[in-house]
Amino acid sequence: MRVAWARVRGMAGYECGRLLRGNNGRMISMAEEKAALVLSGKEVAQDVRNKLKEQVADLKKEFPEFAPGLAIVQVGAREDSNVYIRMKIRAAEEIGIRAQHIQFPRSITQSQLVQEVKKLNNDPNIHGMIVQMPLESDNEIDSDLVLDTISPDKDVDGLTTASAGKLSHGMLSGGFLPCTPNGCMELIRRSGAKIQGASAVVLGRSKIVGTPMAELLKWHHATVTTCHSRTADLEGTVRTADILVVGIGRPEFVKGSWVKPGAVVIDCGINAIPDATKKSGSRLVGDVAYAEASKVASVITPVPGGVGPMTVAMLMQNTVISAQKAAAQMRVHDWKIRYLPLEPLEKVPSDIEIARAQTPKDVAELADEIGLLPSEVDMYGKKKAKVSLSVLQRLASQQDGRYVVVAGITPTPLGEGKSTTTIGLAQALGAHLKKNVFACVRQPSQGPTFGIKGGAAGGGYSQVIPMDEFNLHLTGDIHAITAANNLLAAQIDARMFHESTQTDQALYNRLVPKLKTGREFSKIQLNRLKKLGIVETNPDKLTEEEITKFVRLNIDPATITWQRVLDTNDRFLRKITIGQSPTEKDKTRECQFDISVASEIMAVLALTTSLADMRERLGKMVVASDTSGNPVTAEDLGASGALTVLMKDAIRPNLMQTLEGTPVFVHAGPFANIAHGNSSILADKIALKLVGSDGVVVTEAGFGADIGMEKFFNIKCRYSGLVPNAVVLVATVRALKMHGGGPTVSPGVPLPAAYTDENLELVEKGFSNLGKQIENGRLFGVPVVVAINAFASDTEAELGLIKKLALEAGASDAVICSHWAKGGSGAVQLAEAVAKASSQPSDFKFLYDLKLPIEDKIRTIAQKIYGADDVEIKPEAQEQINRYRKQGFNDLPICMAKTHLSLTSDPSLKGAPKGFTIPVRDVRASVGAGFLYPLIGTMSTMPGLPTRPCIYDIDLDLQTEEVLGLF
């Protein structure tokens, strides 16, 4: 360690001593004179800064886009403060710290300043923050309150109450040490003085220097006395000090006669005194009479050039330490997670009873366990939270984990348990194999929750909890989609109404009103001018022709595809007439309501990759065509900015947990027929960063593999750029028996014997469907693991037959699972098989090239995924295809909208039929979401309530406020 010394000359001008370097490299004096060695803070500080510069360079090698950030907050413009700030900024720039001088006017109020500090607390690019004192404000501001607003992990001045408290308790490594005292300690250490057991006197008790200095010396095992203005026999007390630290702001107060011979003297004072020999008329001195004390002390710091430079160096050191801690959070490690114990009962209770019997962790605890920062998490109650997209920026250099999609055979009324398997697999990978694992699932619609299907949180001992919060409202994302969708629907009809009742000039005057400040286009109107090819941006200079082009959308009512939505099953809204009030002047038209999750905005949410991308996608949504056949978009209607505002919180994934305490993202829930049926790209991306390269993200695809998995690969993975590592295909003995020709089942009626008795023939026949889905997975170059979801009525022979046939069909493994009854422990073998399969190199490839004609892409899916001989494109569908090609939408991926109950277009045909044709009756576009969806048969987008919906069983315990009856 380099130590900077200077020789002190006596009054006669001779050298007081000769400096030698000892065995430990420390400079020592061999002189007999009593002159002190001068410890130069400038040179020690430079040594510190050089080392910090190397550390910052190392950080940037590992994280090229990363730089330590320091915010210096100032109120007012005092020149003496500006001098110190410029000094700090220069030091920061030399080291590689990005320093910001944030200056507020004297007029700022206390509450405004506190809010600004809080904003800086939440800025991930700021690692350290100081508030320059004094605050030069016209308003009364409590400086202690402002300081205590600084987050403890950014308090690089070490002056908050929290930092002072840690120091007083001896927690020297838990926070940041105050800069001046820490600089003094560094100088004392470099002097070679023995601190342990030494008698130390601190003269002064300020919160910035004296008090923390005494604490530091105490916790380094010195015997410390703090002196102040009321100390009796001050001179005598000071003379006992082996180590003397002075910081009282009184020039040359401590005389040489006060100093114990051989003492180490650290002078923290800096005072200006008159000096006629100086050009400025004054010179700087410390609190110690330097000329006198230097003859008595063994070591002394000069003023200036002693403690001052060390204060700045320690500020830089604290900032780099904070940045290193932030960088460490950019490296994902094995989570230290508290798993929740499960004690499954032999007779499995209802889902709601199981969920209620488990006590979830507070989501704040879970967030901390998986490496989320407090600034990245917004709590919605205690059990769920929104997670910021800024995680992706922070962990940008982190390698993704392994990516696993759970799909299933073609669904049957008997259920296959995809959601249950997704959660059970995550519980097994996390709580039992101790891997970093995330499950990513869709948010359920309230329609099925109150209809007949029930919730979608998994089932048995493999669930997302709290179950009621998962299934009801969650954090309001679907309500935000409903509001945004219906705002756009309202704007469509309002715009048509106003265009039909006003002249061009009247429309223009209302769309671009004349204000006191003048007339100007809004940002979104400027976008429309650009789209129309109008160069003029002065509203008063447009020609009549340009005004007409600008104000007239000329929407053709017959082409409107945008419907209103509601998150309730309501069959009577499937076809309605709007505009019947006299105030709408007979502008009636027939339209319909869809269920909210069928809105294109839901698909946009699921496929977006950033806030900017969502804004762009929302603007591209085509709602109709004009009378010339051109697409009319949300951007044309001026609504895309407002839609983005309504969706700004919904874009952030929702954090919840499983029954065993592993993390779950619940985000987005698009239909799996007219949309792609997968949870959000953003949830998957954030999860893949959080789990790290050895972790696993398990996501679920809707309906059977022929629909949800195919769209996961061809649509979701195209837009996300993510490469899947494995497919889990879920099947059951009972479902395969139905695909093999088993009898139909009816709700409320006991299952026929074919499903409860051993029947190997039905299982083998029905395996044709599972075999085809295994083939489909392998078409994409991804290994397939079959999860056989076991029921009590299954026989060993039936389960063994499925396993044998699956391996013969090309599955990398086939595993019998019991996670519904046992939780994660019932899926450990599946987890091991998935871990093995997903560790293999991926040979992932898309099924088709986007540049192919729309017809060929449809045909490729039908023939390769469904097993069809060909497709039959109806004239109306061909007309739409031609229109979309003309409009420039040929290169969008295809999202087939067909029945989920069969590989064919006929829901009654089970197994893997041959020799059939897929009829395409229409083709529609979700341009904002980014796909075309051919309609195969009739698709209902508004379910209805059955005779006995779930609402009969759902109630609230008025004493405990617990929800009853969900399943």
Side-chain angles (χ1 to χ4, degrees), residues 187-200:
L187 289 171
I188 294 169
R189 278 191 290 266
R190 295 206 183 197
S191 76
K194 183 181 179 184
I195 301 174
Q196 183 172 333
S199 173

Side-chain angles (χ1 to χ4, degrees), residues 475-538:
T475 57
D477 293 352
I478 293 180
H479 300 315
I481 289 165
T482 302
N485 183 100
N486 293 344
L487 174 63
L488 182 55
Q491 172 67 343
I492 293 168
D493 288 299
R495 183 60 179 263
M496 288 195 300
F497 172 79
H498 293 306
E499 285 190 27
S500 68
T501 58
Q502 297 179 49
T503 65
D504 291 354
Q505 193 61 51
L507 274 170
Y508 191 63
N509 289 340
R510 286 178 171 84
L511 288 170
V512 194
K514 293 180 179 179
L515 306 173
K516 290 181 180 179
T517 54
R519 173 186 269 186
E520 60 181 38
F521 291 114
S522 68
K523 182 180 177 181
I524 202 166
Q525 289 175 329
L526 290 171
N527 291 344
R528 176 155 173 77
L529 290 176
K530 186 176 180 181
K531 178 180 178 180
L532 294 171
I534 299 173
V535 178
E536 182 59 65
T537 58
N538 184 334

Side-chain angles (χ1 to χ4, degrees), residues 531-603:
K531 178 180 178 180
L532 294 171
I534 299 173
V535 178
E536 182 59 65
T537 58
N538 184 334
D540 296 321
K541 292 185 178 180
L542 262 63
T543 66
E544 288 187 9
E545 182 183 353
E546 288 172 335
I547 287 174
T548 299
K549 287 175 65 177
F550 176 77
V551 301
R552 295 287 171 187
L553 295 182
N554 292 324
I555 295 172
D556 180 355
T559 65
I560 295 174
T561 55
W562 196 265
Q563 308 297 345
R564 289 163 172 81
V565 298
L566 186 70
D567 196 33
T568 301
N569 289 3
D570 191 343
R571 65 178 64 248
F572 282 91
L573 293 177
R574 290 171 178 168
K575 189 173 185 180
I576 62 172
T577 302
I578 60 172
Q580 297 191 61
S581 169
T583 55
E584 274 52 74
K585 302 179 181 180
D586 297 323
K587 306 299 179 186
T588 62
R589 71 179 182 92
E590 286 189 350
C591 60
Q592 68 187 55
F593 268 80
D594 295 335
I595 197 161
S596 293
V597 293
S599 170
E600 185 178 348
I601 295 177
M602 176 63 90

Side-chain angles (χ1 to χ4, degrees), residues 241-323:
D242 301 315
I243 299 171
L244 175 62
V245 182
V246 185
I248 54 174
R250 296 177 65 177
E252 300 184 324
F253 179 75
V254 176
K255 309 304 179 186
S257 60
W258 295 21
V259 178
K260 180 181 180 178
V264 173
V265 178
I266 307 294
D267 190 351
C268 301
I270 185 161
N271 312 278
I273 62 171
D275 187 339
T277 65
K278 300 292 183 182
K279 186 177 180 180
S280 63
S282 64
R283 62 187 173 92
L284 296 177
V285 299
D287 292 346
V288 177
Y290 180 81
E292 299 176 15
S294 61
K295 296 176 181 178
V296 183
S298 64
V299 176
I300 192 168
T301 59
V303 177
V307 172
M310 291 302 297
T311 299
V312 176
M314 293 300 104
L315 174 63
M316 299 301 118
Q317 179 171 282
N318 282 348
T319 303
V320 171
I321 289 170
S322 181

